[in-house]
Amino acid sequence: DFSSNLGMVRAVTDVRSYLEAGYTTIQDVGSRAAITLRNAVREGAIVGPRILAAGRIISQTAGHADAFMFMPVEIAYNLGFGRVADGPDECRKAAREQIRDGADLIKICTTGGMLSEKDESTHWHFTMDEIEAITEEAHKTGRIVCSHSSAWKGVENAIEGGVDVVFHAYWQDGKIRKMFVDKDIVFNPTLAIVGYMAEYGEKIGITDWAARKAREAREVQLDNFKECLKAGIQIAHGSDFMGSPMVEQGTNAKELVAMADAGMTPMQAILASTKVASKGVDMESKIGTVETGKFADLLLLREDPLKNLQSILDLSNILMVMKEGKVFVDRGIPREKGEAR
């Protein structure tokens, strides 16, 4: 909740928690405040990972990011996390507004979702003309487009319309998986959050209809994930955690464990959070692998995660976090006798 001063203070604490948990780069795909937080990290006013921010999510009227269910429409249009746009011209303007506000990327919704009241996750949103207007504006300024796309035609339209990264895609088939591979699209499955929403529902602060939609998605999500692995789709780690007690910020590595539980090897899960994730945030040339010319972002662990992936959830196991050559977290790095800290 960034709508109050207290919300922003909480966000500053959350940002630091990411770095302490080993994250040196994070991507926020839907808030105006993340741009401010990004700038504060860049100038050194607060401590945290580098942030890539999308600004407001672009959604159609009654779409997934139309916040009318949380606040009056006239307030939602001006202050909400979503920017409602209908028709190619308005969609183009909405993308330009995010660029003007300083967004690093653009986020759109081509289907309904669990937390939006007036739609189902299987409903497809935006026309092809609308999607292409947004992606064209982003790409001509060197920005990628990420899409909330839960199912079927909405996923197809997002990929065909030029997006670079797809989130969720719970419902797929062989045709869609081939599109992912042929068009070099990064897939972010968000396994952990759906599992928590489906199992705990209202206990983590969601409505009964959102919990119902989560359970429906969970019925197909894990089987789909396994098929995506077989198809060779580029799968990246992204948690979609929203800050409830069970999915609090800084515990996002639960997603790596969830992906391993669903069929990835520990190495595949680690690559999903490093090498593949760097492509998903359009920073392959700077992060994701240890190579000459890239940022010195390093994580030192006490226990080998290839032998025990669960160990990455224990902060005491994270001995050191380095971002761009500077150590931000030092929980007791092993040193030779007499070596200075």
Side-chain angles (χ1 to χ4, degrees), residues 78-141:
N78 292 320
L79 298 177
F81 58 85
R83 191 332 188 156
V84 174
D86 298 296
D89 290 343
E90 196 171 345
C91 286
R92 192 178 299 277
K93 182 177 181 180
R96 290 174 178 175
E97 286 174 352
Q98 307 321 303
I99 293 167
R100 179 186 63 192
D101 289 345
D104 300 296
L105 64 142
I106 301 296
K107 170 74 177 297
I108 67 173
C109 299
T110 66
T111 68
M114 296 173 193
L115 298 181
S116 41
E117 183 180 2
K118 300 293 185 181
D119 58 45
E120 296 295 326
S121 299
T122 51
H123 293 172
W124 62 277
H125 293 170
F126 281 138
T127 65
M128 287 298 296
D129 287 344
E130 290 171 322
I131 297 170
E132 288 172 349
I134 295 168
T135 58
E136 181 180 51
E137 289 302 317
H139 291 162
K140 74 183 187 183
T141 60

Side-chain angles (χ1 to χ4, degrees), residues 7 24 45-46 72 107 134-135 178 188 197-198 206-207 257 264-265 285 306:
T24 57
I46 63 174
K107 170 74 177 297
I134 295 168
T135 58
K178 187 174 187 300
N188 190 320
M197 290 172 67
I206 65 175
T207 62
V257 175
M264 275 188 168
T265 66
S285 65
L306 295 178

Side-chain angles (χ1 to χ4, degrees), residues 67-307:
F68 72 91
M69 73 284 292
F70 302 118
M71 60 188 81
V73 170
E74 61 274 11
I75 297 176
Y77 279 14
N78 292 320
L79 298 177
F81 58 85
R83 191 332 188 156
V84 174
D86 298 296
D89 290 343
E90 196 171 345
C91 286
R92 192 178 299 277
K93 182 177 181 180
R96 290 174 178 175
E97 286 174 352
Q98 307 321 303
I99 293 167
R100 179 186 63 192
D101 289 345
D104 300 296
L105 64 142
I106 301 296
K107 170 74 177 297
I108 67 173
C109 299
T110 66
T111 68
M114 296 173 193
L115 298 181
S116 41
E117 183 180 2
K118 300 293 185 181
D119 58 45
E120 296 295 326
S121 299
T122 51
H123 293 172
W124 62 277
H125 293 170
F126 281 138
T127 65
M128 287 298 296
D129 287 344
E130 290 171 322
I131 297 170
E132 288 172 349
I134 295 168
T135 58
E136 181 180 51
E137 289 302 317
H139 291 162
K140 74 183 187 183
T141 60
R143 290 167 169 82
I144 64 169
V145 179
C146 297
S147 179
H148 165 102
S149 306
S150 297
W152 307 125
K153 188 171 177 61
V155 181
E156 289 186 35
N157 286 353
I159 296 174
E160 195 64 38
V163 307
D164 305 281
V165 182
V166 169
F167 297 119
H168 314 311
Y170 312 122
W171 287 271
Q172 294 184 35
D173 56 19
K175 175 185 175 183
I176 293 174
R177 286 188 279 273
K178 187 174 187 300
M179 292 176 71
F180 268 105
V181 174
D182 290 348
K183 292 186 177 290
D184 198 30
I185 306 298
V186 174
F187 174 39
N188 190 320
T190 61
L191 298 181
I193 184 67
V194 177
Y196 279 107
M197 290 172 67
E199 183 172 356
Y200 298 105
E202 294 84 353
K203 292 182 181 179
I204 57 173
I206 65 175
T207 62
D208 55 353
W209 42 265
R212 184 262 302 168
K213 288 193 276 188
R215 289 191 291 271
E216 291 172 352
R218 193 60 167 179
E219 289 178 1
V220 299
Q221 184 187 39
L222 297 179
D223 287 341
N224 176 65
F225 180 78
K226 291 179 174 62
E227 292 302 317
C228 289
L229 277 176
K230 292 178 185 176
I233 294 172
Q234 299 176 90
I235 299 176
H237 158 40
S239 65
D240 213 14
F241 281 12
M242 298 170 289
S244 71
M246 291 183 185
V247 290
E248 63 182 324
Q249 311 295 0
T251 68
N252 309 69
K254 291 176 180 177
E255 178 69 11
L256 274 75
V257 175
M259 289 194 290
D261 288 343
M264 275 188 168
T265 66
M267 178 57 80
Q268 285 176 317
I270 290 170
L271 289 174
S273 65
T274 53
K275 184 177 181 179
V276 182
S278 72
K279 179 177 174 62
V281 298
D282 196 31
M283 290 193 67
E284 286 179 285
S285 65
K286 295 295 184 183
I287 61 174
T289 56
V290 180
E291 296 181 68
T292 301
K294 292 191 175 184
F295 292 138
D297 288 8
L298 300 172
L299 178 64
L300 179 63
L301 301 173
R302 187 188 309 276
E303 188 172 352
D304 185 352
L306 295 178
K307 296 179 180 178

